[in-house]
Amino acid sequence: MEEAVDVLYGVSGHTYDMVYDLFFTPHRLIVIRVHSPQDVSWSVSPWFFLFGSWMERNREKNQRLKRLQDIRLQEKTLALDELVKASPGSFIILYTDVSSVQISSSFFQYQMKLQLLSEASKKRMMAFTLPNEQVKTAREIINKVFSTKLKK
């Protein structure tokens, strides 16, 4: 069973409200989706008209928190391959499919950019927005895992 070498929790991908946990193993990057806008649906109730959206936002926040706790519990109990199957929207990136890795900053946010090779020899970019407190950890992980593919 393959174990994670390092983990980055709570990085954004695609849009700011798509949140992932990144598990770095010796041979691949496992991306587990922990939050998506589709996870919680809004419902309009009579209370919505009396109190506005405050109650609905509070209910949505509680549902998202519960889902996050459930996924983090699964991350501790399931094997990584089982976790990918159990979490919709999760995927695996093989290190052999990564041509370069770079951490860049713009407009007060940092991004980890992975240049991927696709089947048709076309390059594809995947970017994850890093919380400021995880930039140092991300650089250390990249230096350890992707040392030959690091882009300055």
Side-chain angles (χ1 to χ4, degrees), residues 111-126:
Q111 282 192 328
M112 179 175 67
K113 297 179 181 178
L114 303 169
Q115 187 78 38
L116 304 174
L117 298 171
S118 66
E119 302 81 41
S121 297
K122 295 180 183 176
K123 291 190 176 184
R124 196 177 91 188
M125 179 73 71
M126 180 164 287

Side-chain angles (χ1 to χ4, degrees), residues 58-137:
N58 196 33
R59 184 187 68 80
E60 178 186 6
K61 180 181 173 186
N62 289 337
Q63 285 181 340
R64 287 183 186 199
L65 183 60
K66 170 130 179 48
R67 174 164 164 59
L68 180 63
Q69 289 171 342
D70 291 345
I71 289 176
R72 294 278 161 82
L73 181 64
Q74 283 182 343
E75 288 176 354
K76 293 177 182 174
T77 58
L78 294 177
L80 292 174
D81 289 327
E82 294 171 352
L83 189 58
V84 171
K85 292 175 187 171
S87 303
S90 300
F91 54 95
I92 296 172
I93 300 172
L94 298 174
Y95 294 154
T96 56
D97 294 340
V98 177
S99 62
S100 68
V101 181
Q102 165 183 14
I103 292 183
S104 63
S105 66
S106 64
F107 300 111
F108 308 108
Q109 67 180 10
Y110 289 89
Q111 282 192 328
M112 179 175 67
K113 297 179 181 178
L114 303 169
Q115 187 78 38
L116 304 174
L117 298 171
S118 66
E119 302 81 41
S121 297
K122 295 180 183 176
K123 291 190 176 184
R124 196 177 91 188
M125 179 73 71
M126 180 164 287
F128 296 100
T129 303
L130 302 168
N132 289 340
E133 61 272 6
Q134 289 189 342
V135 173
K136 181 180 177 188
T137 307

Side-chain angles (χ1 to χ4, degrees), residues 99-103 142-143 146-152:
S99 62
S100 68
V101 181
Q102 165 183 14
I103 292 183
I142 288 173
N143 284 333
F146 294 108
S147 60
T148 59
K149 300 179 182 194
L150 192 60
K151 199 178 209 182
K152 300 291 178 187

